[in-house]
Amino acid sequence: GQQLNQSPQSMFIQEGEDVSMNCTSSSIFNTWLWYKQDPGEGPVLLIALYKAGELTSNGRLTAQFGITRKDSFLNISASIPSDVGIYFCAGPPNTGNQFYFGTGTSLTVIP
Amino acid sequence: NAGVTQTPKFRVLKTGQSMTLLCAQDMNHEYMYWYRQDPGMGLRLIHYSVGEGTTAKGEVPDGYNVSRLKKQNFLLGLESAAPSQTSVYFCASSYSPRLGFFGPGTRLTVL
């Protein structure tokens, strides 16, 4: 199946620091989605990207659709304790209804 | 508005037993999906549906069957459960090929 590689796998940061994570795919995507999952719950959609080069923000979160269409980036500014969770990228390669998920980046924020 | 609900929340099965997981959404979404989540592997698509009466295989369909007899419901069946099917199962729905809303998950253990 489709491979989506997320890095880093885990991050431990101090409250107030900025966070960057990325996702790369082995093929071209036409949509990139970023989700956050809290323990024991389902993923929640944070940001959706539909065009190469697109930069979209949602509060302190900013995501970018890579120009090559094979990668995407998520930044969190001024992290707070409630940012703790696992962040997933997802998307469909080219056209299609099958969405593939990355393996996730686990974020820990130290107060 | 309940969003996406999943029944049951927890289940323990013995090898060879069968069961059905129910996903219901009240948002009139056309697209519905079943995923499984295993540690370190992100979410993998089992089956999906693009409308009432339609189903399609995802990345890991073996050992599962699905039905979408009503637009609001998507059922996932295990005919003969195996320990390898121990996982957390998530249902999702959306109004277009853009993943939006996930249910809270069903934790299944097969002994």
Side-chain angles (χ1 to χ4, degrees):
Chain A
Q2 184 63 224
Q3 196 128 23
L4 289 182
N5 297 308
Q6 282 189 250
S7 65
Q9 279 190 320
S10 61
M11 304 179 75
F12 294 80
I13 61 168
Q14 291 288 137
E15 183 177 356
E17 288 183 353
D18 296 345
V19 172
S20 291
M21 59 188 79
N22 68 72
C23 186
T24 59
S25 69
S26 54
S27 58
I28 290 173
F29 276 41
N30 58 18
T31 299
W32 281 101
L33 306 171
W34 284 94
Y35 286 85
K36 178 177 183 263
Q37 185 177 29
D38 292 327
E41 298 185 14
V44 173
L45 182 65
L46 298 173
I47 293 178
L49 303 160
Y50 299 104
K51 212 163 58 170
E54 181 181 352
L55 191 70
T56 297
S57 294
N58 178 5
R60 293 177 297 104
L61 278 62
T62 302
Q64 184 164 20
F65 194 137
I67 292 176
T68 66
R69 296 173 65 189
K70 291 187 176 182
D71 54 10
S72 181
F73 309 89
L74 177 69
N75 295 312
I76 305 173
S77 63
S79 59
I80 59 178
S82 62
D83 291 334
V84 167
I86 302 177
Y87 291 80
F88 291 100
C89 62
N94 291 323
T95 57
N97 298 316
Q98 293 204 33
F99 278 76
Y100 293 92
F101 276 76
T103 50
T105 293
S106 174
L107 178 64
T108 301
V109 179
I110 303 165
Chain B
N1 226 359
V4 179
T5 58
Q6 292 183 232
T7 311
K9 287 187 169 48
F10 302 92
R11 187 73 187 268
V12 178
L13 289 178
K14 293 182 180 176
T15 297
Q17 287 186 316
S18 63
M19 78 163 293
T20 300
L21 282 67
L22 170 64
C23 176
Q25 52 95 4
D26 60 2
M27 296 171 282
N28 203 34
H29 286 166
E30 290 292 338
Y31 297 80
M32 296 187 76
Y33 308 81
W34 274 108
Y35 283 86
R36 60 177 289 173
Q37 185 174 31
D38 302 302
M41 298 198 70
L43 286 90
R44 291 182 293 168
L45 182 63
I46 305 171
H47 285 279
Y48 64 100
S49 168
V50 301
E52 182 179 318
T54 74
T55 63
K57 293 180 180 180
E59 194 181 355
V60 288
D62 294 342
Y64 305 95
N65 57 74
V66 288
S67 64
R68 184 113 180 256
L69 299 178
K70 292 183 179 180
K71 187 177 185 178
Q72 63 267 35
N73 295 336
F74 195 28
L75 279 64
L76 178 71
L78 285 74
E79 289 185 351
S80 179
S84 61
Q85 293 177 304
T86 293
S87 188
V88 181
Y89 292 86
F90 287 101
C91 174
S93 74
S94 62
Y95 60 82
S96 69
R98 163 194 156 174
L99 277 180
F101 302 93
F102 276 80
T106 295
R107 291 186 177 276
L108 175 65
T109 301
V110 183
L111 303 175

